Amino acid sequence: MKYSSTRGGAPVVGFEEALLAGLATDGGLYVPQSWPGLSHDEIKALAGLPYAELALKVITPFVGADFSRSELQAMLADAYDGFTHKAIAPMVQLDSNDFLLELFHGPTLAFKDFAMQLLARLMDKALANKGRRATIVGATSGDTGGAAIEAFRGRDNIDVFILHPHNKVTEVQRRQMTTPSEGNVHNIALEGNFDDCQHLLKALFNNHDLRDELQLAGVNSINWARIVGQIPYYFAAATALGAPHREVAFCVPSGNLGDIFAGFVAHKMGLPVGKLVIATNVNDILARTLETGRYETKGAVATDSPSMDIQVSSNFERLLFELSDHDSQWLKSFMDDFAQNGVGILGDQVHDKFKKRFAAHRLDDAGTGQTIARLQAQSGYIADPHTAVGLGVAAMMRAQGEIAASMPLVTLSTAHPAKFPDAVERATGEKPFQPETIVAQKELPERFTVLENDFDVVAEHIKKRARVLTACS
Ligand SMILES: *Cc1c(COP(=O)(O)O)cnc(C)c1O
């Protein structure tokens, strides 16, 4: 499998290079040159397989010859080994045709573990094969950082620097990042919001000298391997509910669109997916874009679902590339317009295609709290606020007839409620149950450095600490 940049100005690379590079050299995102297809029978045969076996079948075509089948098989088994539920991605039934896909049984209690646990193993192996070191720099609105640090802590060939917005993540999220004591883990609390973190990250990667000097590698969902790690659970859920004979719709609490883009890829591979529903909080750039065809940033505000407090959605670029039939030139001018004026216009053709496959809606904090309370009253089930945004929007889709009553609708549960105890307590009147790992982290010392939102300050901080530069060889 070969990968090219959405902006058409970077060399075509294999999986391993796309994995290590993250962002392409022309500022675009890597996408496969064609979509591998699974036949009706192949999809049928996935039903009921153990999760790691299903994942192997779904992921293999993306990896090509860069890792052997047995290497990939071992990495997948190992990646899911730290999950606390044997099904890895179990489903809960809420109504005749409404389901919740629980993606929070990994070590940091959010769906990001699915991709990150695999990514860390792939990167470590790729670097070891090349006898190289790398410096990982990532930006987080809360969950990516914890998942990355958990996956990369103590790895010999990799240093990990994570930027999080100072005072804008929950205590549980912060402790997951700041309590690992390994020397290769570095936390930067940036004085700014998540979009500032993401902006600074892009600037680091776009500085080619720095990028080469530090051997920068990205773990945000701009990294193609992150998307790959999230495709299998769409197949697992849909085949459990009757695919490929039956279409299944998904509702996905969204920010950077990495998660739902994986569902779009599953559809491209042949999975019969009904509507893909983008659920956002009041940071609703995607819902507005679907409605109006104008991609226009308004600045992020803090909500009870902080991992979705995003106004510039990095994977939207991959989606636009697809919806425009791989028109790099159009995409480049769209992204340039957006960068310069804060507005990009989809145009009728792309907008129509967007509306055909996707639906979108927003839910504010009050609606999110009501959704948590209602579900608890009905069934005793406690959902986290991100999941509740999804459930509230899913209910709207049913009510509006956007998704037929006969079609199964799976809402992705992206985090464990214990990660967001304050919002859950406000909605239900009680703190959610705290798993053992969270309790243990309260006793551990924290390490992080507060830095101003300034390129040079952050770059210097990283250069002083990255072993790529400091280790004598
Ligand atoms: C990251 C995250 C999301 C948003 O996922 P995207 O891939 O960025 O759209 C939603 N919920 C939780 C809990 C998250 O951590």
Side-chain angles (χ1 to χ4, degrees):
M1 179 66 69
K2 293 285 180 205
Y3 293 85
S4 49
S5 165
T6 48
R7 307 217 184 158
V12 169
V13 298
F15 179 77
E16 195 175 78
E17 268 179 274
L19 164 76
L20 292 176
L23 202 64
T25 47
D26 61 353
L29 275 63
Y30 284 116
V31 281
Q33 289 198 308
S34 61
W35 297 112
L38 295 183
S39 70
H40 188 91
D41 286 346
E42 283 170 323
I43 295 173
K44 210 163 111 182
L46 296 176
L49 282 185
Y51 191 83
E53 280 179 44
L54 178 146
L56 181 65
K57 291 200 154 55
V58 172
I59 290 175
T60 295
F62 290 102
V63 170
D66 287 350
F67 296 90
S68 73
R69 193 188 144 82
S70 60
E71 276 175 340
L72 186 60
Q73 189 169 28
M75 280 187 243
L76 285 166
D78 202 34
Y80 305 131
D81 196 43
F83 281 57
T84 54
H85 197 296
K86 282 188 184 154
I88 311 301
M91 259 196 294
V92 173
Q93 186 161 12
L94 300 175
D95 204 333
S96 349
N97 265 328
D98 291 306
F99 299 84
L100 202 53
L101 180 62
E102 290 186 344
L103 301 175
F104 55 71
H105 295 282
T108 69
L109 310 175
F111 83 94
K112 304 235 169 35
D113 289 325
F114 277 84
M116 212 63 87
Q117 289 290 325
L118 176 63
L119 182 70
R121 286 164 176 84
L122 288 166
M123 273 194 178
D124 207 32
K125 182 95 186 124
L127 288 168
N129 288 347
K130 290 179 188 289
R132 267 179 47 193
R133 273 215 167 103
T135 308
I136 280 174
V137 190
T140 186
S141 56
D143 292 327
T144 303
I149 287 169
E150 185 60 38
F152 285 96
R153 62 193 288 187
R155 289 190 192 270
D156 284 342
N157 303 311
I158 302 169
D159 292 314
V160 49
F161 292 83
I162 299 293
L163 298 148
H164 74 263
H166 190 37
N167 290 329
K168 292 192 179 67
V169 300
T170 71
E171 185 190 338
V172 175
Q173 289 177 318
R174 194 191 67 236
R175 286 183 184 278
Q176 283 183 339
M177 294 189 275
T178 58
T179 56
S181 59
E182 286 83 354
N184 72 329
V185 173
H186 307 270
N187 279 290
I188 298 169
L190 196 75
E191 290 174 331
N193 61 25
F194 172 66
D195 285 326
D196 295 325
C197 294
Q198 191 152 259
H199 200 249
L200 217 149
L201 180 75
K202 278 215 167 182
L204 290 168
F205 273 87
N206 282 329
N207 183 320
H208 291 195
D209 290 339
L210 193 74
R211 178 179 164 149
D212 292 344
E213 193 183 7
L214 289 169
Q215 295 287 303
L216 286 187
V219 294
N220 278 89
S221 57
I222 51 175
N223 191 309
W224 173 251
R226 281 277 303 276
I227 307 289
V228 168
Q230 294 166 177
I231 304 168
Y233 48 71
Y234 287 92
F235 279 94
T239 53
L241 296 174
H245 305 288
R246 205 178 175 202
E247 272 195 341
V248 177
F250 289 91
C251 181
V252 186
S254 293
N256 267 321
L257 279 193
D259 201 1
I260 204 167
F261 190 75
F264 182 74
V265 174
H267 165 65
K268 287 278 170 192
M269 293 172 76
L271 188 70
V273 172
K275 275 268 155 79
L276 288 161
V277 182
I278 301 168
T280 75
N281 60 30
V282 292
N283 296 295
D284 61 349
I285 184 168
L286 295 163
R288 284 186 283 112
T289 306
L290 189 106
E291 206 174 301
T292 64
R294 280 170 70 87
Y295 185 62
E296 183 170 18
T297 178
K298 285 208 288 196
V301 300
T303 73
D304 285 344
S305 43
S307 301
M308 297 165 17
D309 290 349
I310 287 166
Q311 275 297 354
V312 183
S313 214
S314 54
N315 276 287
F316 194 50
E317 176 160 348
R318 284 195 167 105
L319 187 59
L320 288 176
F321 183 69
E322 276 306 310
L323 297 174
S324 69
D325 293 324
H326 301 188
D327 189 343
S328 288
Q329 227 165 343
W330 173 80
L331 182 72
K332 201 176 163 321
S333 66
F334 179 95
M335 296 309 295
D336 288 345
D337 278 352
F338 181 69
Q340 269 164 30
N341 313 318
V343 188
I345 306 293
L346 295 194
D348 288 346
Q349 232 174 332
V350 170
H351 189 203
D352 287 347
K353 280 180 129 180
F354 188 26
K355 284 192 288 194
K356 188 161 171 253
R357 175 60 39 206
F358 290 84
H361 218 288
R362 73 193 70 89
L363 189 67
D364 63 14
D365 279 349
T368 304
Q370 282 156 16
T371 305
I372 296 173
R374 193 169 55 235
L375 184 62
Q376 190 204 19
Q378 280 166 0
S379 64
Y381 191 95
I382 309 264
D384 104 284
H386 303 77
T387 305
V389 169
L391 287 170
V393 169
M396 286 181 208
M397 292 293 137
R398 289 288 199 205
Q400 291 169 3
E402 183 81 37
I403 294 173
S406 59
M407 187 182 292
L409 173 56
V410 179
T411 298
L412 272 49
S413 179
T414 49
H416 190 291
K419 272 195 115 160
F420 306 95
D422 297 340
V424 171
E425 186 178 13
R426 276 196 295 281
T428 64
E430 43 192 293
K431 283 243 192 287
F433 164 78
Q434 300 268 301
E436 190 55 43
T437 48
I438 289 186
V439 177
Q441 271 159 359
K442 291 202 173 138
E443 307 298 318
L444 299 172
E446 294 189 72
R447 287 187 306 138
F448 63 96
T449 312
V450 182
L451 293 181
E452 64 183 286
N453 178 15
D454 180 277
F455 178 88
D456 292 326
V457 171
V458 174
E460 272 315 305
H461 181 87
I462 297 172
K463 276 162 90 171
K464 276 209 190 105
R465 289 159 183 83
R467 282 178 300 170
V468 167
L469 297 179
T470 59
C472 312
S473 53

